[in-house]
Amino acid sequence: MRKKIVAGNWKMNTTLPQGVELAKEVNDALASRCPACDVVICVPFTHLAPVAGVIDQTKLGLGAENCADHASGAYTGEVSAPMVASTGATYVILGHSERRQYYGETAETLRNKVALALENNLTPIFCIGEVLAEREAGSHFDVVKAQIEEGLFNLSADQFSKIILAYEPVWAIGTGKTATDDQAQEMHAFIRSVIAGKYGQEVADNTSILYGGSCKPSNAKALFAKPDVDGGLIGGASLKADDFMGIVDAWN
Ligand code: PGA
């Protein structure tokens, strides 16, 4: 059956010493717990190798927040999937709405990134989600379906089964406006039906679909109680170990 997952997305926050300290706090908090879900932190590139050195990856997974759409070469400033993998990280967030919006990521670049991540044994956490105008216009289901089809449906069933999805309504990210648990459930069930239509019910039932967007200790339990919500991708609340653990504990 599919995994329950709580993943932190630190975004562009923390200096290296602060990040290593935060990773240690999360790692220590997990050492004294038996979490009912997988726990992952996705951190800035600069932090990957040092953080890998201070956490127990049997209890706390480590990921990057992006990777390049090429494996190597003359792409100044980019960080490739093989580079990320060489730090010891095993996850990578791809297609976050901030990257689609501010850095012009297209379905084509995302297909290349997903392929490179999989080739390098990184588990993609692939983000999808509509903006407010799309929800208000009633096109949110079409938008999310197109993001999945264009970004992922070139994969074989075997490849697709390695993907974690994260539904993040853009209007809920960092705004304090969480989707209601019913809104999340409605979209997650829809996403699972889209997957079933392409890869069959078994693959769909085995795909973890995380919710992201102002998820915090106070609303995590209600969101995670929904049958198609398999965990969370956590931005702001992943920057304090206590808040992040409060969300992890929501699975208990
Ligand atoms: P947020 O961010 O929890 O701060 O809303 C979630 C995300 O963007 O992954």
Side-chain angles (χ1 to χ4, degrees):
M1 224 19 209
R2 57 186 179 260
K3 286 183 175 170
K4 313 294 185 200
I5 302 162
V6 171
N9 171 15
W10 289 6
K11 309 194 180 187
M12 197 174 73
N13 291 298
T14 73
T15 62
L16 180 55
Q18 288 166 345
V20 168
E21 191 51 41
L22 176 57
K24 278 190 196 158
E25 283 174 33
V26 173
N27 187 68
D28 290 352
L30 282 170
S32 60
R33 275 177 172 78
C34 252
C37 61
D38 286 5
V39 186
V40 177
I41 48 175
C42 297
V43 308
F45 291 132
T46 45
H47 299 20
L48 286 168
V51 166
V54 299
I55 64 172
D56 171 6
Q57 285 200 57
T58 63
K59 290 201 103 174
L60 178 58
L62 177 63
E65 300 172 14
N66 179 32
C67 72
D69 57 342
H70 297 276
S72 66
Y75 302 100
T76 301
E78 288 293 284
V79 177
S80 70
M83 291 173 184
V84 169
S86 72
T87 67
T90 60
Y91 295 84
V92 60
I93 296 173
L94 292 176
H96 191 281
S97 61
E98 287 152 14
R99 299 218 48 94
R100 292 179 191 257
Q101 206 178 333
Y102 307 142
Y103 302 98
E105 289 196 349
T106 63
E108 190 190 350
T109 44
L110 287 173
R111 284 195 297 275
N112 291 334
K113 290 181 182 205
V114 169
L116 286 161
L118 292 175
E119 272 169 38
N120 288 282
N121 296 317
L122 298 172
T123 300
I125 302 175
F126 190 87
C127 302
I128 50 187
E130 81 283 358
V131 300
L132 186 59
E134 291 163 339
R135 179 158 283 263
E136 286 176 347
S139 61
H140 45 297
F141 292 113
D142 292 341
V143 167
V144 167
K145 184 173 189 221
Q147 288 171 338
I148 298 170
E149 286 175 344
E150 291 166 12
L152 296 172
F153 277 6
N154 60 320
L155 299 176
S156 68
D158 191 43
Q159 289 171 320
F160 186 87
S161 64
K162 301 193 169 82
I163 304 285
I164 298 167
L165 280 172
Y167 169 60
E168 301 201 301
V170 179
W171 47 271
I173 295 178
T175 58
K177 257 198 240 168
T178 326
T180 65
D181 34 324
D182 286 335
Q183 282 173 322
Q185 169 58 24
E186 182 186 36
M187 182 59 87
H188 283 226
F190 171 75
I191 292 167
R192 205 176 301 288
S193 76
V194 169
I195 299 167
K198 168 77 177 173
Y199 296 108
Q201 197 60 48
E202 193 181 336
V203 170
D205 285 341
N206 285 327
T207 303
S208 298
I209 308 173
L210 314 185
Y211 168 80
S214 300
C215 185
K216 39 188 184 270
S218 59
N219 60 24
K221 220 177 175 76
L223 285 161
F224 298 171
K226 293 294 176 184
D228 287 292
V229 178
D230 305 312
L233 182 57
I234 318 300
S238 71
L239 294 171
K240 287 210 175 86
D242 283 350
D243 288 349
F244 190 55
M245 281 307 126
I247 297 171
V248 170
D249 291 342
W251 276 116
N252 292 333

